[in-house]
Amino acid sequence: MKNRKTLLVGLCGVSLLLAACGTASNSSSSGSAPGAQGFTPPKLSALTALGQPEGQLNVLAWPGYAENGSNDPKVNWVTPFEQETGCKVNVKPFGTSDEAVTLMKTGGYDVVSASGDASLRLVASGDVEPVNTALVPNYNDVYPFLKNKSWNSVNNVAYGIPHGWGANVLTWRTDKVNPAPTSWSAMFDPNSPYKGKIIAYDSPIYIADAALYLMAHQPDLGIKNPYALDDKQFNAAVDLLKKQRPAVEEYWADYLKETQSLKSGDGTIGTAWQVTVNLAKSGGAPLQSTVPSEGATGWSDTWMVATKSQHKTCAYKWMDYIISPKVNAQVAEYFGEAPANSKACAEFTDKSLCDTYHANDAAYAAKIQYWTTPIPQCLDGRTDVKCKDYGDWTRAWTEIKG
């Protein structure tokens, strides 16, 4: 879990329209018309039936999603899966969505836990294929508001199994920050009293956080979707982040590094995942967190099957296992997110956490601006302008950090 700096994804990551960048199968089509996301998915088919488990599974996952006891002997849901299925699991954690996309292109992984800023890139490039949800029995218990969403399906064809979701929260040390902040202004206001102590996420997708802030504070810009930015809107968000840059003590890509910064007091306020808050608090740091008045960006993660996988039966067994009520609860409670399985809350050790994470709250889930890959076709429905694609976001992020 070393700190990983954001990786440039090359031409294949510049635009979802460059679907030819991947290696696509010539099997029967899952849909040949452009989807609402603005691209035509490659012609690929889902698995039709499970076979004999192949004995191995290579998992590419966010840290905390596929724990095997090596980080904490008490936290291990990989070993029971191996014993149950005979599929030996090799886990590779990644630090950013860009890293996940790059690693998936090597062809060395069977399944990946992809956030919305990676999932459609993987679909468009042909690196992942449609999934047959009928082969995943626990899919029936996934919350309806997580199914057939723009980041995990195209043309009503599922490309993955929902895993968990949550917001990128604002967190702060209560011994350093007073009064408790209720707005992202604590991080973006040039007169913030926390200059030099701010911690921000190290990824081009963080530009969306600035755009979300501008939606509330500069409504004249007309931003409706923080991932659909025309030239004027994009430049405003980039300028805001450039102004924030001198106030940032650290950009983080490894949540463990941010946890240490908050515990030591090097950073006093920042954007964080709930797992960061949980770990820092368990280590004695006086922290609180909130979703500010402007709302928040966030993630809804999807388990996806690699097109080139040689272990697809093991892959499907993993997807069904990882979203089963007990295991989905273990992962969600450890990582700090809402589970995908509607029966998982009953399996939580701390029953209050499902309320904390708003697991059953579809209205709350609808307020989160989930990570989504920016493309030239404006995701807010505008057709009279072009929006900045992920390549533009990546180049701008390099300039922002300097």
Side-chain angles (χ1 to χ4, degrees):
M1 295 187 188
K2 296 179 180 178
N3 186 29
R4 295 176 173 87
K5 296 184 177 179
T6 303
L7 303 175
L8 297 179
V9 295
L11 290 177
C12 284
V14 170
S15 170
L16 284 174
L17 298 181
L18 298 180
C21 283
T23 301
S25 165
N26 292 320
S27 58
S28 59
S29 175
S30 61
S32 57
Q37 298 89 340
F39 72 96
T40 302
K43 295 181 178 181
L44 297 167
S45 295
L47 192 69
T48 57
L50 297 182
Q52 186 70 22
E54 301 88 356
Q56 184 171 321
L57 184 68
N58 298 315
V59 176
L60 188 60
W62 284 108
Y65 274 11
E67 291 298 304
N68 59 12
S70 59
N71 292 311
D72 183 344
K74 298 178 182 178
V75 182
N76 183 354
W77 42 84
V78 168
T79 299
F81 171 78
E82 293 176 323
Q83 295 170 340
E84 177 183 318
T85 64
C87 302
K88 173 65 178 176
V89 177
N90 304 303
V91 180
K92 169 69 174 178
F94 60 84
T96 68
S97 288
D98 286 353
E99 185 178 3
V101 171
T102 300
L103 289 170
M104 280 295 286
K105 290 187 179 299
T106 67
Y109 301 94
D110 300 300
V111 291
V112 58
S113 61
S115 295
D117 56 333
S119 55
L120 293 185
R121 281 187 275 168
L122 295 171
V123 172
S125 64
D127 290 311
V128 296
E129 65 186 26
V131 297
N132 184 347
T133 58
L135 300 180
V136 185
N138 283 302
Y139 183 78
N140 292 328
D141 296 321
V142 169
Y143 288 110
F145 60 82
L146 297 177
K147 296 179 177 180
N148 296 319
K149 309 307 290 187
S150 61
W151 56 84
N152 59 28
S153 65
V154 180
N155 295 335
N156 293 318
V157 175
Y159 277 82
I161 303 298
H163 168 89
W165 58 279
N168 296 315
V169 298
L170 175 65
T171 189
W172 65 93
R173 286 186 60 107
T174 57
D175 59 339
K176 305 287 185 180
V177 177
N178 189 42
T182 59
S183 166
W184 289 109
S185 295
M187 289 186 63
F188 289 119
D189 190 324
N191 297 315
S192 171
Y194 310 112
K195 290 181 180 178
K197 294 293 185 177
I198 292 173
I199 310 174
Y201 189 48
D202 189 0
S203 171
I205 208 68
Y206 182 59
I207 294 173
D209 290 61
L212 180 69
Y213 178 78
L214 292 173
M215 285 174 64
H217 294 271
Q218 291 189 30
D220 57 301
L221 288 170
I223 300 174
K224 303 300 182 184
N225 181 325
Y227 306 99
L229 305 176
D230 60 31
D231 283 339
K232 182 179 179 181
Q233 296 165 341
F234 184 74
N235 290 336
V238 171
D239 287 344
L240 179 61
L241 291 172
K242 286 182 176 179
K243 291 176 181 176
Q244 183 196 49
R245 177 68 183 93
V248 175
E249 187 272 334
E250 177 185 357
Y251 289 102
W252 66 276
D254 181 343
Y255 76 99
L256 294 177
K257 186 174 181 181
E258 185 192 24
T259 300
Q260 185 57 43
S261 182
L262 289 166
K263 287 170 62 176
S264 67
D266 290 340
T268 61
I269 190 168
T271 182
W273 300 333
Q274 191 62 45
V275 65
T276 308
V277 179
N278 295 348
L279 287 174
K281 288 178 71 173
S282 67
L287 290 187
Q288 285 189 17
S289 64
T290 190
V291 172
S293 58
E294 300 90 351
T297 60
W299 70 91
S300 180
D301 292 340
T302 304
W303 284 104
M304 311 184 88
V305 178
T307 305
K308 296 180 180 178
S309 169
Q310 300 299 308
H311 312 108
K312 290 183 180 178
T313 293
C314 281
Y316 270 79
K317 286 186 173 295
W318 170 262
M319 291 191 298
D320 191 51
Y321 171 83
I322 204 68
I323 66 159
S324 61
K326 183 177 180 180
V327 181
N328 200 208
Q330 288 179 298
V331 180
E333 193 163 5
Y334 176 73
F335 186 81
E337 65 181 359
N341 193 311
S342 60
K343 296 180 179 179
C345 285
E347 301 290 340
F348 269 55
T349 302
D350 183 347
K351 305 300 183 184
S352 69
L353 286 179
C354 269
D355 289 335
T356 299
Y357 302 148
H358 301 270
N360 303 304
D361 193 342
Y364 176 86
K367 294 178 181 178
I368 298 174
Q369 298 283 352
Y370 297 101
W371 284 343
T372 304
T373 304
I375 60 174
Q377 288 72 23
C378 294
L379 297 171
D380 57 7
R382 287 179 293 169
T383 57
D384 57 336
V385 296
K386 289 185 66 175
C387 282
K388 295 293 189 178
D389 68 18
Y390 195 74
D392 297 317
W393 286 48
T394 300
R395 288 186 288 273
W397 185 244
T398 300
E399 295 177 2
I400 289 165
K401 291 184 62 181

